[in-house]
């Protein structure tokens, strides 16, 4: 069983930055970040393959967010820059055991961490 624990959420003003972290009990094929705002469906944000470090981002965050991992400490990160109010959401880290389409086949989920961006 893979356990994921997020940290690093908080409140910032527009244009600010936050870095989320996710402690991973056991590495998987790939890890990703998702987010969900009230009344909206959960949205895929980015993913990274654990061994190779290949990344994929949704277009809305591609030039502002950076996903990375530290294989020594089994930690996943999401550096978020130039934040906007529309980025406010609960952010979840997730893991999957098999390759596939970006954002798909995720099986393991963390409990989420709140990010709030004020204007």
């Amino acid at each position: 069983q893979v356990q994921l624990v997020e940290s690093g959420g908080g409140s910032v003003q527009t244009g600010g930055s936050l870095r989320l972290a996710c402690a991973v009990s056991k590495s998987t094929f790939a890890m990703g970040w998702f987010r969900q705002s009230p009344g909206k469906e959960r949205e895929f944000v980015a993913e990274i393959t654990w061994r190779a470090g290949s990344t994929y981002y949704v277009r809305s965050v591609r030039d502002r967010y950076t996903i990375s991992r530290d294989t020594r400490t089994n930690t996943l990160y999401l550096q978020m820059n130039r934040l906007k109010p529309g980025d406010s959401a609960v952010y979840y880290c997730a893991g999957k055991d098999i390759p596939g389409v970006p954002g798909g086949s995720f099986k393991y989920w963390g409990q989420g961490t709140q990010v709030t961006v004020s204007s």
Side-chain angles (χ1 to χ4, degrees):
Q1 183 70 18
V2 177
Q3 295 182 330
L4 308 174
V5 180
E6 301 97 334
S7 61
S11 298
V12 295
Q13 292 187 329
T14 297
S17 298
L18 281 174
R19 187 175 79 156
L20 305 182
C22 176
V24 182
S25 65
K26 179 182 177 184
S27 61
T28 62
F29 172 77
M31 297 293 299
W33 289 96
F34 291 74
R35 65 186 181 186
Q36 188 169 22
S37 304
K40 294 186 178 181
E41 293 187 355
R42 186 169 56 198
E43 175 190 22
F44 168 64
V45 175
E47 73 173 57
I48 185 168
T49 57
W50 196 258
R51 290 185 64 184
S54 300
T55 59
Y56 183 92
Y57 300 88
V58 295
R59 181 173 295 184
S60 61
V61 307
R62 190 165 294 162
D63 60 345
R64 300 185 296 123
Y65 288 14
T66 302
I67 188 171
S68 63
R69 84 277 186 253
D70 186 331
T71 58
R72 298 168 301 171
T73 63
N74 271 10
T75 306
L76 176 73
Y77 297 101
L78 185 68
Q79 177 67 44
M80 305 183 293
N81 299 326
R82 305 202 310 276
L83 284 162
K84 309 172 182 178
D87 296 320
S88 298
V90 176
Y91 282 70
Y92 299 90
C93 72
K96 62 182 180 182
D97 293 327
I98 58 175
V101 297
S105 304
F106 282 87
K107 179 179 178 181
Y108 310 106
W109 296 89
Q111 82 288 351
T113 186
Q114 177 71 48
V115 171
T116 303
V117 185
S118 58
S119 58

